[in-house]
Amino acid sequence: MKYLHTMVRVTDIDASLDFYCAKLGLEEVRRKDDEKGRYTLVFLAPPGQPEAQVELTYNWDPEAYGEGRNFGHLAYEVDDIYALCAKLQAAGVTINRPPRDGRMAFVRSPDNISIELLQRGGALEPAEPWASMPNTGKW
């Protein structure tokens, strides 16, 4: 058995690609438009890791998906959790669970999918503004 991908339904493909690619740093691996089925699939992965894919499914006909909390979350290991959180925050992304411990943070996609960010290796030393930043919303 081999892991292939995780599928997430999205309501705005452009906003989702901006979040996952421009802000989070994933890269588009492949895309499929199906006119008969009226959907687009976009497969994304971290740079150099094509085996760790997330599939964004965009149905062309509007549909309400709810919040998706029953999905759980996607998790990515990062080189510098503080730098990535600062980059995301500067790009307008809410840091729902700041990396107070220097190890773990949570953000949400435009469709409210929880994204867990984990520091590669050991935790970084606690640092401001993260150490004293409260949670925002749900994560």
Side-chain angles (χ1 to χ4, degrees), residues 2-136:
K2 178 183 174 185
Y3 169 81
L4 296 177
H5 63 266
T6 298
M7 185 273 272
V8 176
R9 287 183 179 90
V10 300
T11 57
D12 182 328
I13 193 69
D14 294 326
S16 295
L17 288 172
D18 178 63
F19 174 79
Y20 287 102
C21 296
K23 294 174 181 164
L24 199 55
L26 300 184
E27 297 175 342
E28 187 170 325
V29 175
R30 68 186 187 329
R31 177 185 295 242
K32 176 185 178 186
D33 292 312
D34 188 311
E35 292 198 25
K36 184 176 180 184
R38 300 188 48 74
Y39 64 84
T40 299
L41 305 179
V42 181
F43 292 85
L44 308 174
Q49 298 178 58
E51 71 284 355
Q53 294 183 17
V54 60
E55 169 194 320
L56 303 183
T57 297
Y58 172 68
N59 292 309
W60 300 353
D61 300 316
E63 184 177 338
Y65 297 121
E67 199 171 289
R69 282 297 282 176
N70 61 331
F71 166 77
H73 65 267
L74 301 174
Y76 293 98
E77 184 178 65
V78 302
D79 290 328
D80 184 333
I81 197 164
Y82 294 147
L84 180 57
C85 285
K87 175 185 170 189
L88 291 170
Q89 191 174 50
V93 175
T94 299
I95 308 300
N96 300 101
R97 195 279 191 192
R100 289 183 293 274
D101 55 5
R103 187 185 82 73
M104 178 179 67
F106 276 88
V107 297
R108 284 185 166 237
S109 77
D111 290 289
N112 285 320
I113 300 299
S114 291
I115 311 291
E116 180 181 20
L117 306 172
L118 295 167
Q119 175 62 43
R120 183 179 316 245
L124 301 179
E125 288 295 318
E128 294 300 338
W130 314 110
S132 60
M133 187 180 289
N135 291 342
T136 302

